[in-house]
Amino acid sequence: MKTIRLLISCPDARGIIAAVTSFVAEHGGNVLDADQHSDKQHGEFFMRVEIDPAGFTLNPSNFESAWRPLADHYRMQWRVAWGDRPKRMAIFVSKAGHCLNDLLWRWKTGELAVDIPCVISNHDALRRDVESLGLTFHQLTITPANKRQQESETQQRLADAEIDFVVLARYMQILSPDFVAAMPNRIINIHHSFLPAFAGAKPYHQAYDRGVKIIGATSHYVTDQLDEGPIIAQETMQVNHRDTVDDLVRKGRDLERIVLARAVRHHVEDKILVSNNKTVVFD
Amino acid sequence: MKTIRLLISCPDARGIIAAVTSFVAEHGGNVLDADQHSDKQHGEFFMRVEIDPAGFTLNPSNFESAWRPLADHYRMQWRVAWGDRPKRMAIFVSKAGHCLNDLLWRWKTGELAVDIPCVISNHDALRRDVESLGLTFHQLTITPANKRQQESETQQRLADAEIDFVVLARYMQILSPDFVAAMPNRIINIHHSFLPAFAGAKPYHQAYDRGVKIIGATSHYVTDQLDEGPIIAQETMQVNHRDTVDDLVRKGRDLERIVLARAVRHHVEDKILVSNNKTVVFD
Amino acid sequence: MKTIRLLISCPDARGIIAAVTSFVAEHGGNVLDADQHSDKQHGEFFMRVEIDPAGFTLNPSNFESAWRPLADHYRMQWRVAWGDRPKRMAIFVSKAGHCLNDLLWRWKTGELAVDIPCVISNHDALRRDVESLGLTFHQLTITPANKRQQESETQQRLADAEIDFVVLARYMQILSPDFVAAMPNRIINIHHSFLPAFAGAKPYHQAYDRGVKIIGATSHYVTDQLDEGPIIAQETMQVNHRDTVDDLVRKGRDLERIVLARAVRHHVEDKILVSNNKTVVFD
Amino acid sequence: MKTIRLLISCPDARGIIAAVTSFVAEHGGNVLDADQHSDKQHGEFFMRVEIDPAGFTLNPSNFESAWRPLADHYRMQWRVAWGDRPKRMAIFVSKAGHCLNDLLWRWKTGELAVDIPCVISNHDALRRDVESLGLTFHQLTITPANKRQQESETQQRLADAEIDFVVLARYMQILSPDFVAAMPNRIINIHHSFLPAFAGAKPYHQAYDRGVKIIGATSHYVTDQLDEGPIIAQETMQVNHRDTVDDLVRKGRDLERIVLARAVRHHVEDKILVSNNKTVVFD
């Protein structure tokens, strides 16, 4: 079922829930789900309201004028996802295909309700995995010399394809600050460690050398601070001294697939709010 | 901080959240936390509202008359926990002390905000654990011949001590249907398996014989159907062929302590609603 | 690296490890890995020895005559996996493709070192998933009338393809006792619950109705007692009141894929011994 | 049952298992349990053999002369734990009592087979928890001025009490390199994060600020590199945006207790070997 999602953050105050839910009711809407969170430390309030479109008298053309007085009163930052079309997701990959294939499988079976206008890669390795499903694969090889230009090209293709958000499915290039700044909280990365441990390159090698008894994976929004963006989802598993680096890599692939899929799902369902470099995930 | 908790269940309908939160606001209350859940299968709506007592103009003597019209309109079942005094918890034990000691430790350190007017046991084994903390220990030995009479005696002592709820911390007696019926959703048990697997006696032996690779623990409200009451919390852990029954018992103790403490905490914080033999836990 | 695996079970006795490892050393073998387990309850000893083929002077034609005296002395049940060719795995499926696709992906990427001579299904739904990878798909539709005959046909095709073991990847038919008896501990099933809870049909519906706070998946060898064969691997995850049956089904798919893959991997690496309807998994 | 444990590490080579287990058999010993591990990266071999003392003809006075030729041949580092008396454990604490009380409870109930000659603290806060069980409590207040002297005093008391190993149960002082060097792999610490994440002070505050979705605890041997010693055990749990720092502290206590108890148990059962700042735990 398509639903309308209203996401709000504002300074905490009395009566917000009553005001928002009454607003919805006054315009014929039925609240299917409502979640709130008060961050006492920062005095900040977060809310997500899911509304049944049946009977709701507001639409993209008249919502803002009706809503603005209330939003201004509480100094809200807000957005509405009307749910009238699937979100459009681009996937960036390099050579490792496990996260890509997992996302494609979830898309193919309908578990992940998105459109995938294109997959973009700096290598050719995964072309067949993409094209065999009838999807578009852009290879944009990157060298130190052409990196800036290829990013522009990439941005153009995202614009052409009307992409809503990007998933870095083990994409081994670092995006420029400009690229990242243009898509705030709309680029999701999977890092193969339980961040903040083992940021940077080769986290499984780092984990092996440190002799940890757990490994993990972390999905986060990309910011211009490498591996330091707001964390969306994390998962860990036990390992032991018998596990070689190759074992960690193999076991970790299952973690990465599941953590990334979970984060993408939360994003697609508009369940994530970001503040102070942290996420509120209304799961 | 002491807070007022309002718990509601009713047939699902439009506008309930707005109605309830507006009611709170109209009486000077600030909603600190609100959780809702719609059970689509049964068309049932659940809500928990936590209210700051500061400024709230209603109190135990005048709340009901103000609230009843709204409650009747939506055909609500409801209750208010005013939070004006700690809940009064009785613990029933037999000989195994790990759950008892864990609860006492959480109480002693202030983690568990309850009063413990008495601990009741059909054995003498744990008397010292209780009395050394300055708490009251009642030994009520049970035989087939005196079971009915001892239950009456037990009920009298619970009444005298103004007990709000009972925790069966590995209590090895089966309570009579009358006893249970008198305290609906106010008796919490810990069962040492991941129910519904291994209901009944000696679940770790059953688990060992079946060769499972996980063990678990389950906390639930007691009903007159043994081990079939509404589940509040469950947890599992991996085991393997090297684990003997004794190992399962030992490892399981840690699960039991944590699961029971979690369930008791949810109960104490009025986070649990029960319907159709299932719980909604607003965690 | 290809290795030789020797698996032993026998009555527990002194000196077995010394005898076995000395035997290997006397024939030029290097023990790469050795695992033992003593089941005190049944007085039974289990051992797995992994041998480097380089320098080992025994081979399939002369091993038994050299080994038999020692094996007879300790009354061993034993087998050797020479590792000279990949195990040949058949996959049985019906309509649900998540476990199939996961196994195929692990095979395609080399994570799972098997050959897959055929996939057998009572439906046509997953033909394309199989054939697009260049694998053979046999559709053998089953009706009450032809079930016996189709099983014979299936057995013939397994024999023709020299299949070593069968994986039931959410196969919705119950195999006959004769079929099962012909492949003891060589048919692996995935059941979508934490057995022994919710055996039989529709376990996620059962779990939802019971209101459990965890769901699970179980991989086991198939015996003629439905859902009661020796358990190889199990995994669980937390769920809550917000999860509908559809959510449980969706979340469970990830558990099922991982648990089945783990069990298959253990089987392929000859890490499993079975006794008293339980497994010893030398993980 | 008391058992003899032989722990070995040496360069990997052919025939070690046969040599060691044959040696045990030749001296009338029965191997109850044997575990091995080959670290391919460093070419190192690790072994733990548990021997039934009944019938074993060697003892502390004659073992070494019999064993040395074999040990020298393979260039082994080795030690034997004869299991003839419980290990003697000192616990160091400051003000937080949850780990202390958990260890004391496991000791009192016989789960942890150690003697506890003394508990040492730089504060007086936990005296009653210790003395009420009839155990000795030494308060050794530490100031910058007396730290060196108090460490000498502490060492003297450990020597007087014939302490085998020390557990830092949330002890808030940093031990000097000399102190640590005198007890290599015999001081166990619990750190309240999933190291290497959030080393140093106030890890739960760090975790909260970073917005992680998991918290953890790590038990490790103490070296002169703070929080960087060999990891023995780790565990994690899911948290979310609703968890305040206080919630993390509370939830983390349960993790810390369980992880520390697990590490102590492994140490007491002589299941841990250390090499290259990593542990092999024969669990």
Side-chain angles (χ1 to χ4, degrees), chain B residues 194 208 213 234 236 278, chain C residues 194 208 213 234 236 278:
Chain B
F194 49 100
Y208 179 81
K213 302 299 185 190
Q234 296 187 288
T236 58
K278 296 163 66 169
Chain C
F194 48 99
Y208 178 82
K213 301 300 185 187
Q234 294 187 289
T236 57
K278 295 162 69 168

Side-chain angles (χ1 to χ4, degrees), chain B residues 44-108:
Chain B
E44 211 166 344
F45 177 83
F46 303 90
M47 188 170 186
R48 177 186 187 273
V49 186
E50 194 160 349
I51 304 163
D52 187 348
F56 194 49
T57 59
L58 299 178
N59 56 53
S61 64
N62 64 3
F63 179 84
E64 186 163 348
S65 60
W67 171 252
R68 182 168 291 280
L70 195 157
D72 286 351
H73 176 73
Y74 287 104
R75 290 180 288 147
M76 290 175 177
Q77 292 188 287
W78 60 273
R79 64 186 177 87
V80 189
W82 290 97
D84 43 2
R85 64 165 179 80
K87 283 197 173 55
R88 296 172 70 80
M89 171 173 85
I91 307 175
F92 287 19
V93 291
S94 292
K95 290 180 178 171
H98 57 287
C99 287
L100 171 69
N101 275 287
D102 189 74
L103 290 172
L104 294 181
W105 173 78
R106 292 181 202 267
W107 162 79
K108 195 178 80 164

Side-chain angles (χ1 to χ4, degrees), chain D residues 64-201:
Chain D
E64 186 162 350
S65 61
W67 171 253
R68 182 168 291 281
L70 195 157
D72 287 351
H73 176 72
Y74 287 105
R75 290 181 287 147
M76 290 176 177
Q77 293 188 287
W78 60 273
R79 64 185 177 87
V80 190
W82 290 97
D84 43 2
R85 64 164 179 78
K87 283 197 174 56
R88 296 172 70 79
M89 171 173 86
I91 307 175
F92 287 19
V93 290
S94 292
K95 291 180 178 170
H98 56 288
C99 287
L100 171 69
N101 276 287
D102 189 75
L103 290 171
L104 294 180
W105 174 78
R106 292 179 202 268
W107 162 79
K108 194 178 80 163
T109 58
E111 181 182 309
L112 197 56
V114 294
D115 285 342
I116 306 179
C118 63
V119 174
I120 293 177
S121 181
N122 56 331
H123 291 281
D124 200 52
L126 300 169
R127 178 182 294 277
R128 211 180 108 77
D129 298 67
V130 174
E131 292 184 345
S132 68
L133 293 165
L135 297 174
T136 299
F137 183 87
H138 297 312
Q139 186 187 348
L140 290 165
T141 309
I142 291 173
T143 63
N146 77 355
K147 186 174 170 83
R148 190 190 180 93
Q149 180 188 335
Q150 290 294 62
E151 271 207 350
S152 296
E153 177 65 26
T154 301
Q155 284 178 311
Q156 188 55 52
R157 300 206 187 182
L158 297 183
D160 292 346
E162 298 180 55
I163 292 299
D164 292 311
F165 72 106
V166 170
V167 176
L168 309 185
R170 300 294 309 273
Y171 182 61
M172 303 304 278
Q173 293 287 324
I174 295 172
L175 301 171
S176 74
D178 285 351
F179 190 102
V180 171
M183 300 191 78
N185 300 329
R186 296 198 289 134
I187 306 172
I188 299 172
N189 186 43
I190 180 72
H191 185 81
H192 37 318
S193 81
F194 49 99
L195 288 174
F198 310 128

